[in-house]
Amino acid sequence: MEPTESALIVAVPEAERAVGRFRSALDIAASWGVPAHVTVLYPFLPPDRINDDVLATLSQIFEATSRFDISFAEVKWFGDTVVWLSPQPDGGLRQLTAAVCRRFPEAPPYAGAHADAVPHLTIGHDAPKHVLAQAAEAVAGHLPIRATVDAVRLIAGAPEPHSWHTLREFRLGSA
């Protein structure tokens, strides 16, 4: 399947043990092959617009950003339909998004649908509230989850099972 979309994410493998089974049932992106993550920018550019200049610009942005630590210690909700983990502090993640958006203003977070692109790691969405609440309670028992943000992945795919893959991983600068 030819990719139709791209995204920039911070993969959080440290969270997989806690959220993996819930994401596989409650987050369609997991079935597409997207790992547990915090989104830096989605949607990014159409895959056919990602060229050497775009890759070089992204490399410059991320090399200029020092790695940092985050902790997921709290389960939160967007309304009654999305349950997620809150990364703290979230300033470094917000700075990554802002830096990419400054260089690629044609790709606003979530296509401009939300005034504030809150950094989050989705556990599940669009399922009955009691199912999401059970997932939230189970995941809360694994908190806190600590992670170091030291890379950003450029991924691409389509809304189809197992279609998303990593195009490039960019290392952040040293602390």
Side-chain angles (χ1 to χ4, degrees):
M1 161 131 318
E2 194 66 29
T4 59
E5 298 180 291
S6 72
L8 293 161
I9 66 167
V10 170
V12 186
E14 298 87 347
E16 286 290 353
R17 188 171 74 85
V19 303
R21 70 184 174 110
F22 299 107
R23 286 188 70 245
S24 67
L26 302 172
D27 182 4
I28 195 162
S31 73
W32 297 344
V34 180
H37 68 281
V38 176
T39 301
V40 172
L41 188 58
Y42 171 83
F44 185 49
L45 300 177
D48 62 358
R49 289 203 37 221
I50 298 172
N51 58 29
D52 289 342
D53 289 340
V54 169
L55 296 174
T57 299
L58 291 172
S59 186
Q60 290 170 352
I61 291 168
F62 299 131
E63 286 174 2
T65 304
S66 295
R67 58 189 294 174
F68 54 94
D69 294 326
I70 55 175
S71 178
F72 299 90
E74 187 176 4
V75 175
K76 292 191 173 186
W77 291 79
F78 293 129
D80 289 340
T81 60
V82 182
V83 63
W84 52 281
L85 291 177
S86 174
Q88 294 299 322
D90 71 359
L93 294 160
R94 289 178 180 276
Q95 289 172 3
L96 287 172
T97 298
V100 176
C101 288
R102 277 192 298 275
R103 297 297 287 275
F104 298 95
E106 69 274 28
Y110 303 103
H114 307 288
D116 182 17
V118 175
H120 64 281
L121 190 154
T122 300
I123 298 169
H125 58 89
D126 302 322
K129 185 175 180 188
H130 75 278
V131 172
L132 294 173
Q134 289 171 344
E137 184 177 334
V139 170
H142 292 275
L143 303 181
I145 298 168
R146 291 177 177 78
T148 297
V149 177
D150 60 2
V152 175
R153 290 185 192 175
L154 172 60
I155 61 174
E160 297 291 331
H162 312 292
S163 68
W164 285 75
H165 59 279
T166 300
L167 297 177
R168 175 80 71 84
E169 183 169 91
F170 301 92
R171 305 303 293 177
L172 298 186
S174 52

